[in-house]
């Protein structure tokens, strides 16, 4: 029987109560795939403008825009060549001003993506830096000579054995000056040297410039990589490299020694006097709960919340993100549970299943076949009832599925294409295996065009889309979902409204139940004398859950089946992929 000892919950701290984003929901737009307005097959800012009423109807409070800055698009905009201009593919600064206005008129804030761990190699800063060893901007990036006694440009001659996230070495040899520059991502994404105060001041000036344009905050890309583990003599350490020449660079770049100092400096230099009303969320691969506490404790003036990667790495096999293995629900509950309780006293969680780097959750942790709607809704209920700020990635509110591309030439993502190229070289996987690995783990699963309707290109474009539209758009699309009151879309709308109205959802204590149950995700949220019970069935079969007599008379707050579940006798029978929330008050 479920007995929840967490009776009376903690009293609200003034700090906690007045923070707007604790009852907010954020919607992530991936501009390239959201809405095209000029028929070139690529989404753009005027396309987003066409859809602001859709976002208002969904009820979201914030829109986070993935990068739209001037960029050669080597990594779809996460390689910026001018931070203070918009790439013509996406539109103009005037279009963005209009979008900010249109969203603000609807009570929706706009958060921009801040990509300052690296720039594009076509950014003027890097053009100067690579021009000569004594250029004033040489030290704005990480330049090092070849490894002692090694022939420059040959494998293994790199200054350290760091591997790039996108396969291959993280150092690129540059003939011009006969030295290597560091790039943790693609060679067209050289890392900025945050040790250099000039670099930091240039970034702060750019951030202030955008805040002056009335944006409402930043999503900070791989922000916990900006402080490299550089030794006092300026040298950089090698990393463990189990299989081969290069090892994961994260070991020498994650949560570096000056990270907190830099984040606190950003606070002083950029936000001082205009902190209220802003949202600052950090993307922090490799961050632990302990890091999360330090990074999001309001008393430390660093970030409001962080994206942890632990719960989206549980199905990664030994060979990484493309080597997908089945999820063990107990691992998922334990991981999210640790972050819930770990940040309970101080700090705050950013809650997400999806973004532009992750496969679609209904295909990954749900059932995108017979129970696509039910599992999509169950996953939403479970996530949105956690303590934290939920993020909805475009199309998630429709239950969009993975792409299921059947040929390599359908892929566009640099990480996937470079992985395919290096695997082909290694020859471990035959083409069929390679395609199945990509189909399971590729970021392109999240990047197929938004499915607005059942017309040939899903209403996304009148032209040829830059990436194929998912064929399921004939049945899975916004028009159909908005028209059907029992749809995934309307369940998201109800969940967002619940977070706006209900203090238990906003701030209630989290208490995980049935941690060892392999099929049921169960927890309570308690606030004052009110308590919610949240149940999610992660299986396609009926599950009887012993909830105890206290819940026999409880009220159903939200569920993903039209008819209420069979309750009574201290147990609830959950149907396949059923998700629900019960309320009992006052708890005695
Ligand atoms: O998830 C990842 C590890 O496999 C990567 O896909 C991802 O690159 C990493 O999580 C960091 O992501 C962010 O920075 C990258 C960019 O490619 C991603 O789109 C962005 O979200 C470099 O800017
Ligand atoms: Ca366009």
């Amino acid at each position: 029987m479920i007995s929840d000892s967490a009776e009376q919950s903690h009293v609200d701290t003034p700090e906690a109560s007045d923070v707007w984003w604790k009852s907010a929901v954020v919607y992530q737009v991936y501009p390239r795939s959201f809405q095209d307005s000029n028929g070139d097959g690529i989404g753009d800012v005027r396309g987003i403008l066409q859809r602001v009423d859709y976002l208002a109807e969904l009820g979201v409070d914030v829109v986070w825009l993935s990068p739209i800055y001037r960029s050669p698009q080597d990594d779809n905009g996460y390689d910026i060549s001018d931070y203070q201009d918009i790439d013509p593919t996406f539109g103009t600064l005037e279009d963005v001003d209009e979008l900010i206005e249109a969203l603000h008129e609807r009570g929706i804030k706009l958060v921009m993506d801040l990509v300052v761990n690296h720039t594009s190699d076509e950014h003027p800063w890097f053009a100067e830096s690579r021009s000569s060893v004594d250029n004033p901007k040489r030290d704005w990036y990480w330049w090092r000579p070849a490894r002692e006694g090694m022939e420059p440009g040959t494998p293994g001659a790199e200054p350290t054995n760091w591997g790039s996230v996108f396969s291959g070495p993280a150092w690129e040899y540059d003939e011009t000056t006969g030295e290597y520059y560091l790039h943790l991502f693609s060679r067209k994404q050289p890392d900025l040297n945050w040790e250099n105060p000039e670099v930091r001041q240039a970034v702060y000036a750019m951030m202030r410039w955008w805040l002056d344009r009335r944006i409402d905050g930043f999503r900070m890309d791989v922000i916990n990589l900006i402080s490299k583990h550089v030794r006092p003599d300026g040298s950089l350490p090698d990393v463990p490299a189990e299989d081969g020449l290069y090892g994961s660079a994260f070991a020498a770049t994650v949560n570096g020694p000056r990270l907190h100092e830099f984040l606190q400096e950003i606070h002083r230099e950029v936000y001082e006097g205009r902190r209220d009303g802003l949202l600052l969320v950090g993307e922090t691969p490799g961050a632990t709960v302990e890091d999360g506490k330090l990074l999001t404790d309001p008393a430390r003036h660093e970030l409001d919340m962080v994206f942890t990667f632990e719960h989206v790495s549980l199905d990664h096999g030994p060979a990484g993100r493309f080597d997908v293995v089945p999820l063990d629900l107990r691992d998922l509950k334990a991981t999210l549970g640790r972050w819930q309780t770990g940040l309970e006293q101080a700090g705050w969680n950013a809650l997400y299943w999806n973004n532009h780097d992750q496969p679609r959750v209904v295909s990954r942790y749900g059932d995108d076949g017979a129970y696509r709607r039910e599992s999509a809704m169950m996953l939403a209920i479970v996530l949105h009832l956690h303590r934290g700020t939920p993020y909805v990635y475009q199309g998630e509110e429709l239950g969009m599925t993975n792409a299921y591309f059947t040929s390599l030439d359908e892929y566009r993502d640099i990480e996937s294409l470079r992985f395919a190229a290096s695997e082909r070289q290694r020859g471990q996987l035959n083409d069929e295996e390679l395609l199945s690995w990509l189909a399971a783990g590729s970021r392109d699963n999240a990047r197929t065009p938004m499915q607005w309707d059942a017309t040939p290109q899903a209403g996304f474009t009148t032209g040829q889309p830059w990436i194929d539209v998912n064929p399921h758009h004939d049945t899975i699309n916004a028009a159909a979902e908005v028209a059907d009151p029992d749809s995934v879309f309307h369940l998201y709308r109800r969940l967002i409204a619940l977070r706006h109205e209900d203090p238990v959802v906003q701030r209630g204590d989290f208490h995980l139940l049935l941690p060892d149950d392999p099929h049921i995700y169960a927890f309570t949220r308690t606030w004052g004398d009110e308590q919610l019970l949240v149940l999610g069935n992660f299986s396609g079969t009926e599950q009887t859950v012993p909830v105890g007599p206290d819940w026999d008379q409880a009220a159903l707050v939200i569920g993903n089946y039209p008819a209420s579940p069979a309750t009574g006798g201290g147990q609830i029978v959950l149907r396949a992929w059923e998700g629900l929330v019960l309320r009992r008050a006052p708890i005695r």
Side-chain angles (χ1 to χ4, degrees), residues 117 139-142 191-197 199-200 226:
N117 172 71
D139 190 35
W140 281 43
Y141 294 83
W142 295 88
D191 282 56
L192 280 168
N193 174 13
W194 274 70
E195 304 294 320
N196 183 331
V199 168
R200 301 198 304 271
I226 61 178

Side-chain angles (χ1 to χ4, degrees), residues 226-237:
I226 61 178
S227 167
K228 298 347 185 208
H229 301 202
V230 61
R231 296 194 188 104
D233 66 356
S235 66
L236 295 162

